[in-house]
Structures are given as structure tokens and as C-alpha cells.
Amino acid sequence: MTAGAEGRRLRLLSGDFGRFWLGQTISNLGSSFTFFALPLLVFNLTGSPINLGITTACEFVPYLLFGLVIGAWVDRVDRRRLMIATDLARAAVIATIPLLAAADALSVGWIYAVAFASATLTIAFDAAEFAAIPSLVPSDDDLVTANGRVQASYSAAQIAGPLLAGLLITVAPVQQVLWVDAASFLVSAGTLALIGRAFNAPRDTEPRRAIRQEVAEGLRYVLGHPVLRNISAMMALINLVAATVYAQLVVFAKRQLDASDSRVALLYAAGSAGVVLLSLAAGPVRRRLSFSAAALGALLLDGLLMTALAATSWYWAALALWAAISGLGIFFNINTVSLRQQIVPNHLLGRVISIAGVLAWSAIPVGALAGGWAVERTGSVALVYAVIGAVVVLIALAFSFGPVGHADRYLPAGQPEPADTT
């Protein structure tokens, strides 16, 4: 490791960013319990792929309804205080599931409501977090590394989370593990309260405009920028087909792999392990390759491995494939997030990430419901997975010929170029 790289590592681990990173890692450990437990709870209550699709849809419909307004709002309020408030609210919302279950009053409809409310709060939190990270790292050179380290530590928690949840459900009902998530949100709020640095960049004094004007400004920026516009379109297409992969993972594990609940937990953990490895690789790889080679190459390989996953019924092979697929997916996301952070002015970051989310994730509810219907209708989750893998490969190839294929040309003047390794 060079002295410069060691210095960057120490800067990222210390101070306000270190506190931020620690709190969000703990919060993500708790959320990984819910990520595993919620679909398993729905499957145990209903046994229906369609109900799993509805649950996923409920988690993304809020982006369509509120994403644009919340993104603009995040850019005009104190982001740190907003994140603390949403953490407290998410803790209260998640806690209702084990409370109602203890009173024997829990229904699948209430789970849909919790998924919807929690996702709405998460829109605000994620938009503020996205906009806060550039204020917490020393320089733009550290953004990819910071995002990679954040994602890696989050995913390390997600390895432990499903495994611990799998142990807990051997002695307690699955819904009771959600107490861990509720408690972790309280820890996150506490660590955010300890950070003294502002999460908003200073702005010139100007009259406050209506929310709709700020939304329109953000939309014009995203839709008018060739790379941001094309990334959003590409992500919408990917999410339209790939939403089913994650929504139906429990069904795939149960029907294709004949997995027990504990093996389902291990499958989730393996996916997180793959995310850790490729999250840590994101910074070093990005410094050696262009955005297009790194991101589109990962997407192409992701689609190929998905078709291989569909063809296997051997649990241990599926475990390795799922780890690689999950890692490649997040590797792609880290690169697109970092590129947006480099391109977009700070005062627009909250709006841009929410607008990008609305544009890219608008297809997830439709895709999740259609995928659940397709699995129910065909009776073959493997067939649906195979078709999805083939379509992802075609999407990666198609967008390589447009602005996304040479996205580094659109970086602002002065931004670092990847090292030439030829």
C-alpha cells in the first residue's frame, strides 16, 4: 500500500466520516435482519409468489408518489437533522410488526403498510445520505473509495445479519427478529447526533422557490445530461426485469434448491459476502478502468451468471453464483452513484438522487408484480430467472454504444481520469 493510499484510508476511518460510517453499519446490520425476515414472513403466511411481488411493489411505489418532492425537500432542510428524525420514525414503524404479532393481530396487509411507510422514510434518509457523503470525505478523489468502503461495511453487516437471524428463528418466531432493526435505527440516530460537521454545502443567499420549481430544475438537469439520462433509462430497464430476482429469491431457494429456512439465511449471507468483496474492489478497479468498462462489464457478467444460476439445482453451486451476482450488481451501483456525485453540483444532489431513483426504480413495482405472476403462471422460477439473465446481457450490450459507453468524457474539468494500465 502506498503512503498516499494509507493516508486516504486513515482519513476515511477517522473523524466525522468514521462516526457516520460506524452508525450506518450498525443500522444496516439491523436492516439485514428485516431484509431476510420480511419476505420469509410473507412466504410463511401466504406461500404465494404474488404476495412476495406485492411486498416488493409496496417498497418501491413510494418512489413514484413522493420521490421527486422529497428529493427537492432534502436540498432545502438540514440533512443531518432530517436523517435523525427518519431513523426515529423507522424504528417506530418496524416495531409495530413484532408488537402486533405478539398480540396475534398481524396480517399480511399490515406488512404491506409497514413496507410502504418504511420505504417512504428511507427515500428521505437515502437522499440525505447520498448528498452528505461528499461533505464528509476529504476530496473528490476519495468518493469511489468512500462509497465502496461504506457499501462493503454495510454488506459485511448483511453477512452477519441473516446468519444471526437464522439462529434466532430457531428459538423465536421470525417476526420477533425485527426488534433488532428497530434498535439499530436508534443507534444510527445517536451516532448522527454526535457529528458536528454540516451535511449541506454553503449556498449563496437566494429567495426560496416553490418545491415544484426545484423539482423542475432537478428534472431538467437529469434529463438534459446525456449520461445521467441514459443511466436512468438503463437502470429502469434493468429493474423492470431484475426486480423479480430479488423478490422471488425465497421461492427460488425453496422450490429450486429445496432449502430450509437456515439455508435461505445462508443464501442471503452469501449474497452479502459477494457484495463485500466487490465493494472493496470498486475503488481500485475504477482507478484502472474507465467507468464504462468497469460498470457495463460487471452488468454483462451479471446477466451471464444469472442464466447459470437458473440452470442449477445444486445448493452449493447456487450459493457461489448468488454471491457473484449480488457482488456484481452492487459493483455496478457503486460506480453509477460515484459518477453522479462527481457530475452533479452539491446543491442539486438530493434532488438528483431522488429523481434518478424515481426514473430508475419506477419499473420495480411493475416488474415485481409481473415476475410474481410469471412464476405463478409458469410454475418455474428457474425459467423466469433464465429469461431475466438473457435480457440483462442485451441491455448491457445495447447501452455500451451510447453516452454510457464513454461516460468519462462527461466528467467536469479537473476530475481525475482512471490510470492508463496499457
Side-chain angles (χ1 to χ4, degrees), residues 129-337:
E129 180 184 36
F130 172 88
I133 288 177
S135 300
L136 293 171
V137 299
S139 69
D140 284 341
D141 291 351
D142 295 312
L143 269 176
V144 174
T145 300
N147 284 317
R149 289 187 180 278
V150 166
Q151 188 60 62
S153 65
Y154 285 8
S155 299
Q158 287 182 329
I159 296 173
L163 294 176
L164 292 173
L167 292 174
L168 282 176
I169 62 176
T170 65
V171 296
V174 63
Q175 58 269 19
Q176 295 303 320
V177 305
L178 272 68
W179 282 118
V180 178
D181 194 13
S184 74
F185 284 131
L186 299 179
V187 173
S188 172
T191 57
L192 288 169
L194 295 175
I195 296 175
R197 187 181 306 190
F199 288 2
N200 301 65
R203 294 183 60 180
D204 294 333
T205 302
E206 59 181 32
R208 176 164 287 188
R209 297 174 296 170
I211 284 283
R212 65 177 179 275
Q213 291 178 307
E214 297 198 350
V215 169
E217 181 185 9
L219 275 170
R220 284 194 299 270
Y221 190 88
V222 173
L223 297 178
H225 195 290
V227 173
L228 298 180
R229 182 177 64 244
N230 277 269
I231 285 177
S232 294
M234 178 173 61
M235 291 298 295
L237 290 173
I238 293 168
N239 290 333
L240 178 64
V241 294
T244 299
V245 175
Y246 294 91
Q248 303 299 326
L249 183 61
V250 170
V251 177
F252 180 82
K254 292 287 187 180
R255 296 184 180 178
Q256 180 79 2
L257 306 177
D258 195 26
S260 63
D261 286 354
S262 296
R263 284 198 167 190
V264 172
L266 185 58
L267 190 65
Y268 275 88
S272 298
V275 169
V276 170
L277 293 176
L278 284 171
S279 295
L280 291 173
V285 170
R286 182 65 181 88
R287 284 192 288 271
R288 289 167 174 78
L289 297 176
S290 69
F291 165 84
S292 307
L296 292 178
L299 188 63
L300 180 67
L301 185 56
D302 182 88
L304 293 173
L305 293 181
M306 179 56 60
T307 60
L309 177 66
T312 185
S313 58
W314 184 30
Y315 174 81
W316 298 107
L319 201 72
L321 287 168
W322 181 246
I325 290 166
S326 300
L328 289 166
I330 209 66
F331 180 91
F332 174 80
N333 287 341
I334 288 169
N335 277 276
T336 58
V337 164

Side-chain angles (χ1 to χ4, degrees), residues 29-39 94 97 177-178 180-182 185:
L29 174 63
S31 295
S32 68
F33 279 63
T34 299
F35 180 68
F36 157 71
L38 205 63
I94 290 294
I97 289 181
V177 305
L178 272 68
V180 178
D181 194 13
F185 284 131

Side-chain angles (χ1 to χ4, degrees), residues 388-410:
I388 289 170
V391 173
V392 169
V393 168
L394 293 176
I395 291 171
L397 292 174
F399 277 88
S400 67
F401 295 103
V404 178
H406 43 82
D408 293 281
R409 299 179 188 176
Y410 293 85

Side-chain angles (χ1 to χ4, degrees), residues 332-346:
F332 174 80
N333 287 341
I334 288 169
N335 277 276
T336 58
V337 164
S338 299
L339 188 72
R340 287 186 180 116
Q341 288 170 327
Q342 289 177 290
I343 290 174
V344 179
N346 186 278

